[in-house]
Amino acid sequence: MNLRTLLWFFISLLIVPEILAESAPDTSGFDIKYLRLELNASDTSAFISGKAVCKSLITHDLQNICFEFSEKYLVDSVLVNHFPASWMHQNNLLNVYGHFTADDLFESEIYYHGNAGGSGFFSGITNKKDAQWNIPVTWTLSEPFAARDWFPAKQVLSDKIDSSEVILTVPPWCMAGSNGVLAGVDTLPDKRVRFHWKSHYPIAYYLISMAVANYQNYTLYARPYGLDDSLPVVNFVYNIPSLLESSKKDIDRTKDFIEYYSALLEGYPFPDEKYGHCLAPMGGGMEHQTMTTLSNFGFLLVSHELFHMWFGDMVTCASWSDIWLNEGFASYGEYLALNHFEGKESADAWMSQAHAFAFAMPEGSVYVPPEEADNVYRIFNYNLSYKKGAAILHMLRMETANDSVFFKALRDYLQRFKYSVASVNDFINTFQQVTGKDWQYFFEQWYYGSGYPVVQIEWQQIGNHLLLNIQQHGSSSKTPVFRFSLPLTFYYPGGDSTVTIRIDQAEQSLAINFPRRITGIAADTESDVLAKVTVIPMDTSGKYLLIYPNPAARKVALDFYTKDVNRTITVISLSGQVIGKLNSRESHLELDVSHWTPGVYVVMVTENNIRYAARFVIP
């Protein structure tokens, strides 16, 4: 023990806090390098006892270190560098006092016990019986702000813990799952069992986990891309033989998911450790690093949580405003898995449902503004962060129109921010660099913007000329116009063809040369484009408008059958060029066409909610 440590010990005992507690946690000034949790736990209660050992680097001089920690726990003692320290535990904050000097490493040991168990999905620690299998389970879920409900935490996303250990002592009938590799299992003299989990990969505070129950271990092995050896897939399943037998097929599919995702993204993020699952009656799943906690082994849940190992765990969102990088991407992982293993029809059905969730929130934005980033239910809004988030990522892929470039951009993003954090702007910058294209417009409307486009397309075919009149508005006035590509399928006797058009204005006209007689047009929005699109033939019945003379040499007259109605009149050529546009309430108009180029022209009219068209010829 050196002199500096002894001096620090005496100084810390003399420091007395000037205020009882801070109104908001200030957990700055130190960088956590290592965390070890040594806890006693059981499957019948959320009560835990033990200690948290934290090694940190001081980044600037401090008089106290602040951890977030639930007041439901009693702190028994605090040591700093193995000596007792002054501390105060109040308002869910644990302040440890002393003289902390910049660039010093220090170790804190916090001994505590108590029960902060809750019943909601976002409770930090929960004890509950799985009603279906009559198995009690204790598990943790720290995302986004609940790590403090089971250990003293620095809940700052940018401060990843460099390495960690979770050592859990449980009753003899229990097993305990956590992050990393199982370094040892010891039976104690009182028959309790100690599980020692260890990880050397950086980890965000909310991904530290434990799950305790009467489990059995079912381990299989995957061969991820780029890994010479096999990767263990460790599954802690309730110790009920019939459950394991009925679940094996679904569990075994995890191996296929790992191999597919790792090939797509060129590697598994934690190759020296494992992947795995712990069952718990949580009503969903949580992507705890290397060992997901989940309530079942369904296709979508398993694929979603696994994809988080890349998007969320290896690269973590830099702030909760950037949650799209976690949940939107993991949701898209579901789509990718469906497309690869079940086929395009299943994937398209999934995306169509994702669109329906987005359509249910016409004012919604994927972006979570900072003032809403402390609201758990806004951060994890299923319609926006998950489903719309996946839909716009798919649209980005469609707009890129090159899968090799799109997935290279994803891989470059992962490598650039590997084992760290990233913001949406970081992703945008990476994507632009890889594709060599400016994508700001895309993110301004689809990510930061609100709602989705509502489009009406009217069409008319004159010989080989197909005229399209396109009008769009945003479901939200905050984003009135969107720019995007829209595939249209043209149906004709004996077949169909798909043509992609570009929509980028509130109103536009397009002319397409198409030699076959079109019987119908449909927009392919179910699976690729997040837009509500209506396609209808133009009304050319003549019941609203009479044009004469036709052909017209010098003047053409327009007689409208409805009187005193405000209408918008647009004249376009067969090339799609807008010749003129005006608003009028007159029921009779005359156009001077003496200097117009000979050809066929179409008059398109909008009045109230009615749209119709007629054509005339200049010989």
Side-chain angles (χ1 to χ4, degrees):
M1 185 176 301
N2 58 40
L3 179 61
R4 188 173 186 178
T5 301
L6 286 171
L7 287 173
W8 183 95
F9 165 63
F10 289 115
I11 291 171
S12 71
L13 295 179
L14 295 174
I15 294 176
V16 178
E18 295 182 1
I19 56 175
L20 292 178
E22 299 176 16
S23 58
D26 180 5
T27 55
S28 63
F30 66 105
D31 177 15
I32 298 180
K33 298 298 182 182
Y34 166 80
L35 174 67
R36 183 172 78 250
L37 301 178
E38 298 183 28
L39 300 175
N40 302 300
S42 78
D43 60 338
T44 56
S45 170
F47 179 90
I48 55 175
S49 64
K51 68 176 179 178
V53 179
C54 184
K55 294 181 180 179
S56 303
L57 175 68
I58 302 299
T59 57
H60 61 259
D61 291 354
L62 295 171
Q63 296 298 311
N64 70 288
I65 298 294
C66 181
F67 297 98
E68 294 187 57
F69 194 39
S70 171
E71 284 184 287
K72 293 181 180 180
Y73 291 101
L74 293 177
V75 176
D76 301 311
S77 62
V78 177
L79 304 180
V80 173
N81 294 336
H82 310 294
F83 283 95
S86 299
W87 53 272
M88 179 170 288
H89 188 203
Q90 189 169 322
N91 295 336
N92 295 317
L93 300 177
L94 175 62
N95 281 286
V96 180
Y97 297 95
H99 182 67
F100 301 94
T101 305
D103 299 324
D104 276 359
L105 282 169
F106 83 97
E107 178 179 291
S108 61
E109 293 180 69
I110 301 166
Y111 292 80
Y112 62 96
H113 67 278
N115 187 335
S119 58
F121 185 83
F122 293 104
S123 299
I125 184 168
T126 303
N127 176 262
K128 183 180 178 181
K129 182 174 287 188
D130 190 313
Q132 181 180 0
W133 301 102
N134 197 34
I135 294 287
V137 187
T138 299
W139 75 93
T140 60
L141 194 158
S142 301
E143 188 181 36
F145 311 120
R148 71 180 190 180
D149 289 344
W150 67 289
F151 68 91
K154 179 182 178 181
Q155 298 193 129
V156 175
L157 289 166
S158 58
D159 187 2
K160 282 200 168 185
I161 302 161
D162 293 5
S163 62
S164 59
E165 294 181 81
V166 178
I167 303 170
L168 301 166
T169 301
V170 298
W173 59 86
C174 287
M175 299 178 69
S178 188
N179 317 98
V181 296
L182 188 57
V185 179
D186 299 312
T187 301
L188 305 184
D190 61 1
K191 305 301 183 184
R192 290 185 302 160
V193 184
R194 179 171 293 158
F195 290 81
H196 184 175
W197 294 93
K198 190 173 185 178
S199 176
H200 71 270
Y201 289 103
I203 186 170
Y205 69 87
Y206 71 90
L207 296 172
I208 299 281
S209 72
M210 74 170 190
V212 178
N214 182 5
Y215 287 126
Q216 57 183 314
N217 179 2
Y218 173 58
T219 296
L220 58 146
Y221 294 88
R223 294 300 296 265
Y225 173 94
L227 190 63
D228 293 333
D229 201 357
S230 57
L231 178 80
V233 183
V234 179
N235 300 279
F236 279 16
V237 184
Y238 302 149
N239 192 16
I240 300 172
S242 61
L243 170 60
L244 180 57
E245 285 304 312
S246 64
S247 302
K248 269 188 178 180
K249 182 178 179 181
D250 291 336
I251 297 173
D252 290 350
R253 193 165 47 201
T254 309
K255 166 187 174 293
D256 301 326
F257 290 158
I258 290 172
E259 292 172 357
Y260 166 59
Y261 287 153
S262 67
L264 188 67
L265 301 172
E266 296 186 354
Y268 174 69
F270 312 106
D272 297 334
E273 295 184 353
K274 72 171 189 311
Y275 186 63
H277 302 107
C278 288
L279 268 184
M282 63 192 307
M286 178 61 210
E287 63 276 13
H288 295 129
Q289 191 161 299
T290 73
M291 200 161 199
T292 285
T293 309
L294 42 57
S295 56
N296 64 77
F297 295 103
F299 185 107
L300 297 181
L301 183 58
V302 171
S303 60
H304 178 105
E305 304 304 341
L306 172 60
F307 210 57
H308 268 307
M309 295 302 111
W310 289 265
F311 298 97
D313 291 17
M314 182 172 76
V315 180
T316 305
C317 58
S319 74
W320 294 114
S321 290
D322 302 301
I323 190 62
W324 175 62
L325 298 172
N326 289 23
E327 297 302 347
F329 283 56
S331 297
Y332 194 55
E334 300 175 36
Y335 171 88
L336 293 173
L338 279 172
N339 189 64
H340 184 78
F341 292 103
E342 302 289 335
K344 187 176 186 301
E345 184 176 347
S346 293
D348 286 351
W350 186 97
M351 190 58 71
S352 178
Q353 184 192 56
H355 289 179
F357 277 105
F359 292 153
M361 300 194 73
E363 294 291 330
S365 174
V366 176
Y367 173 59
V368 180
E371 61 270 20
E372 297 180 15
D374 59 353
N375 182 334
V376 170
Y377 298 100
R378 175 61 185 93
I379 296 170
F380 298 101
N381 185 296
Y382 190 69
N383 297 57
L384 300 176
S385 297
Y386 291 71
K387 295 301 187 178
K388 187 178 181 182
I392 69 169
L393 184 58
H394 185 60
M395 284 200 64
L396 181 62
R397 179 183 174 187
M398 295 299 102
E399 291 286 307
T400 305
N402 187 322
D403 270 4
S404 63
V405 172
F406 175 80
F407 286 107
K408 183 181 187 305
L410 296 194
R411 291 191 294 269
D412 281 15
Y413 161 76
L414 290 171
Q415 288 303 310
R416 185 171 298 184
F417 299 99
K418 193 173 185 178
Y419 308 124
S420 185
V421 298
S423 67
V424 170
N425 281 338
D426 291 327
F427 176 78
I428 294 172
N429 291 336
T430 302
F431 203 84
Q432 292 186 150
Q433 289 171 14
V434 173
T435 60
K437 182 179 176 181
D438 185 353
W439 290 95
Q440 287 297 329
Y441 80 91
F442 179 93
F443 288 94
E444 285 298 325
Q445 62 189 17
W446 293 107
Y447 174 75
Y448 291 105
S450 299
Y452 48 83
V454 179
V455 182
Q456 179 168 298
I457 300 175
E458 294 183 321
W459 63 274
Q460 179 182 185
Q461 189 174 22
I462 302 173
N464 291 343
H465 298 280
L466 175 66
L467 297 180
L468 302 176
N469 181 257
I470 305 162
Q471 291 188 322
Q472 68 148 311
H473 66 272
S475 64
S476 169
S477 60
K478 297 174 185 176
T479 310
V481 176
F482 289 79
R483 296 166 56 187
F484 60 100
S485 298
L486 177 66
L488 295 176
T489 299
F490 300 160
Y491 296 95
Y492 49 83
D496 61 75
S497 298
T498 298
V499 175
T500 298
I501 63 172
R502 187 69 179 170
I503 298 178
D504 54 14
Q505 301 172 44
E507 183 172 359
Q508 63 192 99
S509 298
L510 298 175
I512 299 172
N513 185 55
F514 198 82
R516 297 177 180 270
R517 181 175 62 84
I518 294 175
T519 57
I521 299 177
D524 297 341
T525 58
E526 286 293 310
S527 59
D528 289 339
V529 181
L530 182 62
K532 286 189 173 181
V533 181
T534 303
V535 183
I536 58 174
M538 290 183 189
D539 186 334
T540 58
S541 64
K543 62 182 178 181
Y544 299 105
L545 170 64
L546 174 65
I547 297 182
Y548 62 92
N550 191 4
R554 299 181 60 82
K555 289 186 178 181
V556 62
L558 310 179
D559 278 356
F560 298 95
Y561 296 148
T562 52
K563 310 296 183 182
D564 195 30
V565 174
N566 188 53
R567 53 180 65 88
T568 300
I569 304 159
T570 306
V571 181
I572 65 172
S573 68
L574 288 187
S575 66
Q577 179 184 2
V578 176
I579 305 301
K581 185 174 183 178
L582 72 153
N583 293 313
S584 174
R585 300 182 68 89
E586 300 295 328
S587 59
H588 176 81
L589 293 172
E590 291 187 358
L591 303 178
D592 182 358
V593 297
S594 58
H595 300 293
W596 290 18
T597 302
V600 179
Y601 294 85
V602 177
V603 179
M604 295 184 295
V605 183
T606 302
E607 60 178 55
N608 296 327
N609 294 321
I610 302 171
R611 290 180 57 80
Y612 52 91
R615 59 183 174 176
F616 65 91
V617 177
I618 299 177

